Amino acid sequence: MPHPKKKLIVVIGTRPEAIKLAPVVLAIEQSEWASCEVVLTGQHRDLVDPIIRDFGLTVAHDLQAMQPNQSLSQVTARILAGIDGFLGQSMPDAVLGQGDTASVLATSMACFFRNIAFAHVEAGLRTGNLRLPFPEEMNRVLTTRMTDWHFAPTDVARTNLLHEGIDPATIWVTGNTVIDALHHVLLQSCPPLPSRPGRDFVLVTAHRRENLGSALENVCSAIKTLAQGHPELDFIFPVHPNPGVRLAVNKHLLGIANVLLIEPCDYPVFCWLMKGARLILSDSGGVQEEAPALGKPVLVLRDETERPEAVAVGATRLVGTEPGNIIGAVQVLLSDAASYERMATAGSPYGDGHAAQRIVDVLHRSLARR
Ligand code: UDP
Protein backbone atom coordinates (compact mmCIF):
# COMPACT_ATOMS: atom_id res chain seq x y z
CA MET A 1 0.00 0.00 0.00
CA PRO A 2 1.49 3.43 -0.92
CA HIS A 3 1.55 5.95 1.94
CA PRO A 4 -1.25 8.52 1.75
CA LYS A 5 0.04 11.98 0.89
CA LYS A 6 0.62 14.46 3.70
CA LYS A 7 -1.78 17.38 3.58
CA LEU A 8 -0.24 20.88 3.75
CA ILE A 9 -2.17 24.14 3.93
CA VAL A 10 -0.61 27.41 2.72
CA VAL A 11 -2.25 30.59 4.02
CA ILE A 12 -1.92 33.80 1.99
CA GLY A 13 -3.10 37.27 3.04
CA THR A 14 -1.29 40.07 1.24
CA ARG A 15 0.61 40.68 -2.01
CA PRO A 16 4.09 39.89 -0.62
CA GLU A 17 2.78 36.68 0.97
CA ALA A 18 1.33 35.59 -2.38
CA ILE A 19 4.60 36.34 -4.19
CA LYS A 20 6.78 34.63 -1.59
CA LEU A 21 4.56 31.58 -1.02
CA ALA A 22 3.72 30.91 -4.69
CA PRO A 23 7.07 29.13 -5.32
CA VAL A 24 6.50 27.04 -2.18
CA VAL A 25 3.02 26.01 -3.35
CA LEU A 26 4.46 25.04 -6.75
CA ALA A 27 7.23 23.01 -5.10
CA ILE A 28 4.73 21.16 -2.88
CA GLU A 29 2.53 20.45 -5.90
CA GLN A 30 5.51 18.99 -7.75
CA SER A 31 6.38 16.71 -4.84
CA GLU A 32 5.09 13.16 -4.68
CA TRP A 33 4.62 13.04 -0.94
CA ALA A 34 2.35 16.01 -0.20
CA SER A 35 -0.79 17.74 -1.40
CA CYS A 36 -1.40 21.46 -0.96
CA GLU A 37 -4.47 23.56 -0.25
CA VAL A 38 -4.18 27.33 -0.63
CA VAL A 39 -6.31 29.45 1.70
CA LEU A 40 -6.71 33.19 1.16
CA THR A 41 -7.58 35.38 4.12
CA GLY A 42 -8.68 38.20 1.82
CA GLN A 43 -6.41 40.83 3.40
CA HIS A 44 -5.34 42.31 -0.02
CA ARG A 45 -7.80 40.67 -2.37
CA ASP A 46 -7.30 42.91 -5.42
CA LEU A 47 -3.50 42.74 -5.26
CA VAL A 48 -3.40 38.97 -4.56
CA ASP A 49 -5.74 37.73 -7.32
CA PRO A 50 -3.40 38.56 -10.23
CA ILE A 51 -0.50 36.77 -8.50
CA ILE A 52 -2.62 33.66 -7.95
CA ARG A 53 -3.41 33.80 -11.68
CA ASP A 54 0.18 34.52 -12.83
CA PHE A 55 1.57 31.54 -10.88
CA GLY A 56 -1.36 29.27 -11.83
CA LEU A 57 -2.35 28.50 -8.22
CA THR A 58 -5.70 26.95 -7.24
CA VAL A 59 -7.48 28.43 -4.23
CA ALA A 60 -9.25 25.95 -1.94
CA HIS A 61 -10.92 28.49 0.30
CA ASP A 62 -11.28 32.27 0.72
CA LEU A 63 -12.01 33.58 4.21
CA GLN A 64 -13.02 37.04 2.89
CA ALA A 65 -11.97 38.52 6.21
CA MET A 66 -11.77 42.14 5.09
CA GLN A 67 -14.55 44.59 6.02
CA PRO A 68 -14.52 48.36 5.60
CA ASN A 69 -12.84 50.33 8.41
CA GLN A 70 -11.79 47.32 10.49
CA SER A 71 -9.35 47.82 13.35
CA LEU A 72 -6.24 45.63 13.49
CA SER A 73 -7.86 43.64 16.31
CA GLN A 74 -11.02 43.08 14.29
CA VAL A 75 -9.21 41.85 11.18
CA THR A 76 -6.91 39.62 13.25
CA ALA A 77 -9.89 38.17 15.13
CA ARG A 78 -11.83 37.48 11.92
CA ILE A 79 -8.84 35.70 10.36
CA LEU A 80 -8.24 33.71 13.57
CA ALA A 81 -11.84 32.51 13.67
CA GLY A 82 -11.92 31.80 9.93
CA ILE A 83 -8.67 29.82 9.88
CA ASP A 84 -9.70 27.91 12.98
CA GLY A 85 -12.94 26.84 11.30
CA PHE A 86 -11.07 25.74 8.18
CA LEU A 87 -8.46 23.80 10.17
CA GLY A 88 -11.25 22.03 12.07
CA GLN A 89 -12.65 20.65 8.81
CA SER A 90 -9.41 20.07 6.96
CA MET A 91 -7.12 18.68 9.70
CA PRO A 92 -3.83 19.14 7.79
CA ASP A 93 -0.47 17.63 8.75
CA ALA A 94 1.11 21.10 8.71
CA VAL A 95 0.35 24.72 7.82
CA LEU A 96 2.65 27.30 6.21
CA GLY A 97 2.51 31.09 6.48
CA GLN A 98 4.94 33.85 5.55
CA GLY A 99 6.23 37.11 6.93
CA ASP A 100 4.68 39.51 9.39
CA THR A 101 1.02 40.30 8.68
CA ALA A 102 -2.21 39.78 10.64
CA SER A 103 -2.72 36.70 8.45
CA VAL A 104 0.47 34.95 9.59
CA LEU A 105 -0.02 35.93 13.23
CA ALA A 106 -3.61 34.66 13.33
CA THR A 107 -2.72 31.51 11.39
CA SER A 108 0.15 30.56 13.68
CA MET A 109 -2.09 31.16 16.69
CA ALA A 110 -4.94 29.05 15.27
CA CYS A 111 -2.43 26.24 14.61
CA PHE A 112 -1.04 26.51 18.13
CA PHE A 113 -4.51 26.26 19.70
CA ARG A 114 -5.32 23.19 17.56
CA ASN A 115 -1.89 21.63 18.08
CA ILE A 116 -1.17 21.60 14.34
CA ALA A 117 2.45 22.09 13.27
CA PHE A 118 3.22 25.52 11.77
CA ALA A 119 6.03 26.47 9.38
CA HIS A 120 7.12 30.13 9.17
CA VAL A 121 8.60 31.19 5.85
CA GLU A 122 10.88 34.26 6.10
CA ALA A 123 11.40 33.80 9.83
CA GLY A 124 13.70 35.91 11.97
CA LEU A 125 13.50 39.37 10.37
CA ARG A 126 13.78 42.02 13.08
CA THR A 127 14.34 45.75 13.46
CA GLY A 128 14.69 45.33 17.23
CA ASN A 129 11.96 47.94 17.84
CA LEU A 130 8.64 46.26 18.70
CA ARG A 131 6.68 49.22 17.33
CA LEU A 132 8.63 49.70 14.09
CA PRO A 133 7.36 48.70 11.64
CA PHE A 134 3.95 48.66 13.30
CA PRO A 135 2.41 46.15 13.76
CA GLU A 136 4.69 43.91 11.68
CA GLU A 137 7.59 43.63 14.13
CA MET A 138 5.25 42.44 16.91
CA ASN A 139 3.44 40.11 14.48
CA ARG A 140 6.68 38.36 13.58
CA VAL A 141 7.97 38.17 17.16
CA LEU A 142 4.71 36.56 18.32
CA THR A 143 4.54 34.25 15.29
CA THR A 144 8.02 32.97 16.11
CA ARG A 145 6.81 31.75 19.52
CA MET A 146 4.14 29.60 17.82
CA THR A 147 6.30 28.17 15.04
CA ASP A 148 7.63 24.59 14.67
CA TRP A 149 9.83 25.12 11.60
CA HIS A 150 11.61 28.50 11.23
CA PHE A 151 12.71 29.03 7.60
CA ALA A 152 15.18 31.91 7.90
CA PRO A 153 16.20 33.62 4.64
CA THR A 154 19.72 34.53 5.84
CA ASP A 155 22.25 33.91 8.61
CA VAL A 156 21.34 37.31 10.08
CA ALA A 157 17.73 36.16 10.50
CA ARG A 158 18.93 32.89 12.03
CA THR A 159 21.06 34.80 14.54
CA ASN A 160 18.06 36.97 15.48
CA LEU A 161 16.10 33.81 16.28
CA LEU A 162 18.96 32.32 18.32
CA HIS A 163 19.10 35.55 20.37
CA GLU A 164 15.44 34.97 21.27
CA GLY A 165 16.23 31.48 22.53
CA ILE A 166 14.82 29.52 19.58
CA ASP A 167 16.12 25.94 19.38
CA PRO A 168 18.77 25.86 16.60
CA ALA A 169 17.49 22.43 15.54
CA THR A 170 14.24 24.10 14.40
CA ILE A 171 15.90 26.78 12.21
CA TRP A 172 16.93 26.31 8.56
CA VAL A 173 18.62 28.99 6.44
CA THR A 174 17.04 28.62 3.02
CA GLY A 175 17.45 31.91 1.15
CA ASN A 176 14.40 34.03 0.45
CA THR A 177 11.64 32.54 -1.72
CA VAL A 178 11.18 35.96 -3.34
CA ILE A 179 14.27 35.20 -5.44
CA ASP A 180 12.58 31.96 -6.58
CA ALA A 181 9.52 34.01 -7.58
CA LEU A 182 11.67 36.55 -9.43
CA HIS A 183 13.48 33.82 -11.39
CA HIS A 184 10.16 32.14 -12.20
CA VAL A 185 8.77 35.37 -13.68
CA LEU A 186 11.90 36.40 -15.58
CA LEU A 187 12.03 33.02 -17.32
CA GLN A 188 8.75 33.94 -19.03
CA SER A 189 8.66 36.49 -21.83
CA CYS A 190 8.53 40.20 -21.03
CA PRO A 191 4.94 41.54 -20.90
CA PRO A 192 4.03 44.97 -22.34
CA LEU A 193 5.52 47.61 -20.01
CA PRO A 194 4.28 51.10 -19.11
CA SER A 195 7.75 52.62 -19.64
CA ARG A 196 8.23 54.95 -22.62
CA PRO A 197 10.47 53.60 -25.40
CA GLY A 198 13.96 55.06 -25.43
CA ARG A 199 13.59 56.82 -22.04
CA ASP A 200 15.63 55.93 -18.96
CA PHE A 201 13.58 55.74 -15.79
CA VAL A 202 13.65 55.65 -12.01
CA LEU A 203 11.12 53.26 -10.43
CA VAL A 204 9.34 54.41 -7.25
CA THR A 205 7.13 52.66 -4.69
CA ALA A 206 6.06 54.13 -1.34
CA HIS A 207 3.15 53.07 0.83
CA ARG A 208 4.34 51.92 4.26
CA ARG A 209 1.95 52.72 7.06
CA GLU A 210 4.59 54.58 9.07
CA ASN A 211 5.40 56.80 6.06
CA LEU A 212 1.79 57.93 5.56
CA GLY A 213 1.37 61.65 6.23
CA SER A 214 4.27 64.07 6.30
CA ALA A 215 6.95 61.48 5.46
CA LEU A 216 5.18 60.49 2.26
CA GLU A 217 4.56 64.16 1.42
CA ASN A 218 8.32 64.71 1.76
CA VAL A 219 9.08 61.76 -0.51
CA CYS A 220 6.67 63.09 -3.15
CA SER A 221 8.11 66.58 -2.99
CA ALA A 222 11.63 65.14 -3.46
CA ILE A 223 10.43 63.23 -6.54
CA LYS A 224 8.88 66.40 -7.91
CA THR A 225 12.18 68.30 -7.54
CA LEU A 226 14.13 65.42 -9.10
CA ALA A 227 11.69 65.09 -12.02
CA GLN A 228 11.82 68.80 -12.73
CA GLY A 229 15.63 68.80 -12.54
CA HIS A 230 15.95 65.73 -14.80
CA PRO A 231 13.62 66.09 -17.78
CA GLU A 232 15.68 63.41 -19.55
CA LEU A 233 14.45 60.81 -17.01
CA ASP A 234 11.00 59.36 -16.32
CA PHE A 235 9.88 58.56 -12.80
CA ILE A 236 7.49 55.59 -12.90
CA PHE A 237 5.39 55.32 -9.75
CA PRO A 238 2.83 52.48 -9.36
CA VAL A 239 0.56 54.03 -6.74
CA HIS A 240 -0.81 51.80 -3.98
CA PRO A 241 -4.65 51.91 -3.66
CA ASN A 242 -4.48 53.17 -0.03
CA PRO A 243 -6.39 56.52 -0.10
CA GLY A 244 -3.77 58.17 2.14
CA VAL A 245 -1.09 57.30 -0.41
CA ARG A 246 -3.17 58.55 -3.34
CA LEU A 247 -3.90 61.85 -1.62
CA ALA A 248 -0.21 62.70 -1.06
CA VAL A 249 0.87 61.47 -4.49
CA ASN A 250 -1.83 63.39 -6.36
CA LYS A 251 -1.16 66.56 -4.36
CA HIS A 252 2.51 66.73 -5.37
CA LEU A 253 2.95 64.72 -8.55
CA LEU A 254 -0.17 64.97 -10.70
CA GLY A 255 0.41 66.68 -14.04
CA ILE A 256 4.24 66.45 -14.19
CA ALA A 257 5.05 65.22 -17.70
CA ASN A 258 7.93 62.90 -16.74
CA VAL A 259 6.24 61.42 -13.63
CA LEU A 260 4.16 58.44 -14.74
CA LEU A 261 1.62 57.66 -12.03
CA ILE A 262 0.21 54.22 -12.77
CA GLU A 263 -1.97 51.59 -11.06
CA PRO A 264 -0.13 48.86 -9.06
CA CYS A 265 1.53 46.58 -11.59
CA ASP A 266 1.02 42.87 -12.00
CA TYR A 267 4.06 41.12 -10.57
CA PRO A 268 5.64 40.18 -13.93
CA VAL A 269 5.33 43.78 -15.15
CA PHE A 270 6.88 45.07 -11.93
CA CYS A 271 9.80 42.60 -12.15
CA TRP A 272 10.58 43.66 -15.70
CA LEU A 273 10.31 47.32 -14.70
CA MET A 274 12.85 46.70 -11.90
CA LYS A 275 15.11 45.00 -14.42
CA GLY A 276 14.83 47.97 -16.81
CA ALA A 277 15.12 50.76 -14.23
CA ARG A 278 18.23 52.91 -13.77
CA LEU A 279 17.66 52.89 -10.01
CA ILE A 280 14.82 52.33 -7.53
CA LEU A 281 13.37 54.44 -4.71
CA SER A 282 11.25 52.31 -2.38
CA ASP A 283 10.06 51.70 1.16
CA SER A 284 9.03 48.10 0.30
CA GLY A 285 10.60 45.10 1.95
CA GLY A 286 10.36 42.79 -1.06
CA VAL A 287 11.95 45.33 -3.39
CA GLN A 288 15.00 45.55 -1.09
CA GLU A 289 15.42 41.81 -1.66
CA GLU A 290 14.62 41.60 -5.37
CA ALA A 291 16.52 44.58 -6.76
CA PRO A 292 20.03 43.47 -5.63
CA ALA A 293 19.47 40.21 -7.53
CA LEU A 294 18.88 42.34 -10.64
CA GLY A 295 21.88 44.61 -10.06
CA LYS A 296 19.69 47.66 -9.40
CA PRO A 297 20.61 50.14 -6.64
CA VAL A 298 17.78 50.77 -4.16
CA LEU A 299 17.57 53.94 -2.09
CA VAL A 300 15.38 52.85 0.83
CA LEU A 301 12.86 55.48 1.94
CA ARG A 302 13.06 54.45 5.60
CA ASP A 303 15.24 55.18 8.63
CA GLU A 304 15.55 51.52 9.63
CA THR A 305 15.26 48.17 7.91
CA GLU A 306 14.83 44.51 8.84
CA ARG A 307 16.86 43.74 5.71
CA PRO A 308 20.34 44.87 6.83
CA GLU A 309 22.11 42.27 4.66
CA ALA A 310 21.61 44.29 1.46
CA VAL A 311 22.79 47.48 3.20
CA ALA A 312 25.86 45.63 4.50
CA VAL A 313 26.92 44.38 1.06
CA GLY A 314 26.28 47.85 -0.40
CA ALA A 315 23.35 46.98 -2.71
CA THR A 316 20.86 49.22 -0.90
CA ARG A 317 21.18 52.46 1.11
CA LEU A 318 18.88 53.86 3.79
CA VAL A 319 18.06 57.46 2.84
CA GLY A 320 14.98 58.08 5.02
CA THR A 321 12.27 60.50 3.93
CA GLU A 322 13.92 63.95 4.17
CA PRO A 323 13.80 65.52 0.68
CA GLY A 324 17.39 66.80 0.86
CA ASN A 325 18.75 63.32 1.63
CA ILE A 326 16.72 61.64 -1.12
CA ILE A 327 17.65 64.23 -3.74
CA GLY A 328 21.34 64.14 -2.73
CA ALA A 329 21.52 60.36 -2.88
CA VAL A 330 19.83 60.21 -6.30
CA GLN A 331 22.14 62.93 -7.67
CA VAL A 332 25.20 60.93 -6.55
CA LEU A 333 23.98 57.79 -8.34
CA LEU A 334 23.11 59.71 -11.49
CA SER A 335 26.38 61.62 -11.68
CA ASP A 336 29.04 59.35 -10.13
CA ALA A 337 29.56 56.21 -12.20
CA ALA A 338 31.82 54.58 -9.59
CA SER A 339 29.23 54.97 -6.80
CA TYR A 340 26.56 53.56 -9.10
CA GLU A 341 28.73 50.61 -10.12
CA ARG A 342 29.55 49.76 -6.49
CA MET A 343 25.86 49.43 -5.64
CA ALA A 344 24.87 47.72 -8.89
CA THR A 345 27.55 45.03 -8.58
CA ALA A 346 27.27 44.42 -4.82
CA GLY A 347 25.33 41.18 -5.38
CA SER A 348 22.36 39.57 -3.70
CA PRO A 349 22.50 38.30 -0.12
CA TYR A 350 19.03 36.73 -0.37
CA GLY A 351 19.68 33.39 -1.95
CA ASP A 352 19.97 31.46 -5.17
CA GLY A 353 16.35 30.92 -6.17
CA HIS A 354 16.06 27.42 -4.66
CA ALA A 355 14.64 28.34 -1.26
CA ALA A 356 11.20 26.80 -1.86
CA GLN A 357 12.65 23.36 -2.66
CA ARG A 358 14.80 23.49 0.50
CA ILE A 359 11.70 24.28 2.56
CA VAL A 360 9.72 21.43 1.04
CA ASP A 361 12.63 18.99 1.54
CA VAL A 362 12.87 19.88 5.25
CA LEU A 363 9.12 19.39 5.70
CA HIS A 364 9.30 16.06 3.89
CA ARG A 365 12.03 14.74 6.18
CA SER A 366 10.39 16.08 9.35
CA LEU A 367 6.88 14.90 8.56
CA ALA A 368 8.11 11.44 7.52
CA ARG A 369 9.49 11.03 11.05
CA ARG A 370 6.28 12.15 12.82
N1 UDP B 1 5.12 44.74 -6.44
C1 UDP B 1 4.25 44.43 -7.49
N2 UDP B 1 3.63 45.46 -8.15
C2 UDP B 1 3.80 46.77 -7.80
C3 UDP B 1 4.68 47.07 -6.73
C4 UDP B 1 5.31 46.03 -6.06
O1 UDP B 1 4.05 43.26 -7.84
O2 UDP B 1 3.20 47.65 -8.44
C5 UDP B 1 5.78 43.63 -5.73
C6 UDP B 1 7.26 43.78 -5.48
O3 UDP B 1 8.00 43.21 -6.52
C7 UDP B 1 7.47 43.04 -4.17
C8 UDP B 1 6.13 43.15 -3.47
O4 UDP B 1 5.19 43.58 -4.44
O5 UDP B 1 7.73 41.66 -4.35
C9 UDP B 1 6.24 44.13 -2.35
O6 UDP B 1 5.01 44.34 -1.79
P1 UDP B 1 4.79 45.44 -0.67
O7 UDP B 1 5.70 46.59 -0.93
O8 UDP B 1 3.32 45.65 -0.64
O9 UDP B 1 5.15 44.71 0.67
P2 UDP B 1 6.50 44.50 1.48
O10 UDP B 1 7.47 43.84 0.57
O11 UDP B 1 6.94 45.85 1.95
O12 UDP B 1 6.11 43.60 2.60
Side-chain angles (χ1 to χ4, degrees):
M1 274 281 283
H3 284 292
K5 285 189 173 189
K6 300 284 183 190
K7 187 198 266 192
L8 305 183
I9 288 180
V10 174
V11 179
I12 293 174
T14 62
R15 171 170 69 184
E17 288 163 79
I19 291 168
K20 291 173 171 178
L21 286 171
V24 181
V25 173
L26 296 180
I28 297 169
E29 284 174 350
Q30 277 161 18
S31 80
E32 291 183 344
W33 62 274
S35 67
C36 183
E37 285 184 353
V38 173
V39 176
L40 302 185
T41 67
Q43 241 190 301
H44 274 179
R45 205 49 223 266
D46 294 349
L47 295 179
V48 165
D49 281 352
I51 297 161
I52 299 292
R53 184 199 61 218
D54 287 334
F55 282 87
L57 310 186
T58 306
V59 174
H61 188 60
D62 183 353
L63 300 180
Q64 300 184 333
M66 281 320 264
Q67 304 262 303
N69 305 318
Q70 281 186 120
S71 67
L72 285 171
S73 299
Q74 285 167 328
V75 68
T76 308
R78 277 176 70 87
I79 297 171
L80 180 65
I83 291 284
D84 180 58
F86 187 76
L87 293 179
Q89 291 163 23
S90 179
M91 293 311 287
D93 294 287
V95 176
L96 292 87
Q98 185 278 339
D100 52 22
T101 63
S103 293
V104 73
L105 172 62
T107 300
S108 61
M109 192 179 286
C111 288
F112 181 75
F113 288 148
R114 281 199 179 265
N115 205 17
I116 294 172
F118 179 75
H120 190 200
V121 175
E122 199 182 71
L125 272 62
R126 298 289 187 268
T127 60
N129 179 340
L130 281 176
R131 290 179 185 276
L132 211 66
F134 177 90
E136 288 85 358
E137 179 83 354
M138 183 61 92
N139 286 347
R140 51 200 177 209
V141 166
L142 296 175
T143 297
T144 289
R145 305 311 310 180
M146 297 181 281
T147 291
D148 296 85
W149 297 276
H150 305 265
F151 293 116
T154 64
D155 285 326
V156 172
R158 177 175 187 273
T159 304
N160 291 337
L161 293 169
L162 294 175
H163 283 155
E164 292 176 14
I166 300 302
D167 177 356
T170 63
I171 308 172
W172 290 266
V173 178
T174 59
N176 197 307
T177 55
V178 81
I179 306 298
D180 305 30
L182 188 64
H183 287 184
H184 177 93
V185 161
L186 294 177
L187 280 174
Q188 330 279 314
S189 54
C190 178
L193 299 180
S195 45
R196 298 195 284 187
R199 303 248 323 154
D200 267 5
F201 64 91
V202 173
L203 185 61
V204 184
T205 79
H207 64 262
R208 291 200 77 78
R209 188 190 306 262
E210 63 269 23
N211 275 353
L212 290 182
S214 62
L216 186 58
E217 300 254 349
N218 284 342
V219 167
C220 292
S221 99
I223 293 164
K224 181 175 182 177
T225 306
L226 284 163
Q228 288 171 338
H230 290 277
E232 78 287 1
L233 274 179
D234 283 344
F235 289 75
I236 302 184
F237 191 163
V239 187
H240 196 272
N242 184 313
V245 176
R246 299 227 153 170
L247 202 69
V249 168
N250 289 342
K251 178 170 158 196
H252 292 273
L253 297 174
L254 216 51
I256 303 174
N258 58 335
V259 177
L260 312 185
L261 301 178
I262 59 175
E263 288 300 313
C265 304
D266 286 355
Y267 186 56
V269 171
F270 192 77
C271 291
W272 285 91
L273 280 178
M274 283 192 286
K275 196 168 149 70
R278 182 94 157 260
L279 61 102
I280 301 172
L281 296 177
S282 181
D283 61 8
S284 153
V287 173
Q288 293 172 59
E289 295 155 347
E290 293 159 332
L294 298 168
K296 299 299 168 175
V298 184
L299 299 175
V300 181
L301 304 167
R302 294 173 57 181
D303 297 319
E304 44 58 51
T305 180
E306 55 290 270
R307 279 125 179 134
E309 303 88 344
V311 179
V313 299
T316 65
R317 255 190 74 194
L318 293 182
V319 294
T321 54
E322 278 305 313
N325 292 344
I326 298 170
I327 294 165
V330 172
Q331 303 286 25
V332 168
L333 287 180
L334 292 179
S335 60
D336 177 357
S339 296
Y340 184 93
E341 246 350 80
R342 265 198 304 280
M343 287 189 82
T345 57
S348 166
Y350 295 113
D352 58 4
H354 298 289
Q357 192 57 52
R358 289 189 189 101
I359 289 168
V360 173
D361 289 346
V362 169
L363 293 175
H364 186 194
R365 287 196 300 274
S366 300
L367 287 170
R369 281 199 298 269
R370 282 186 182 212

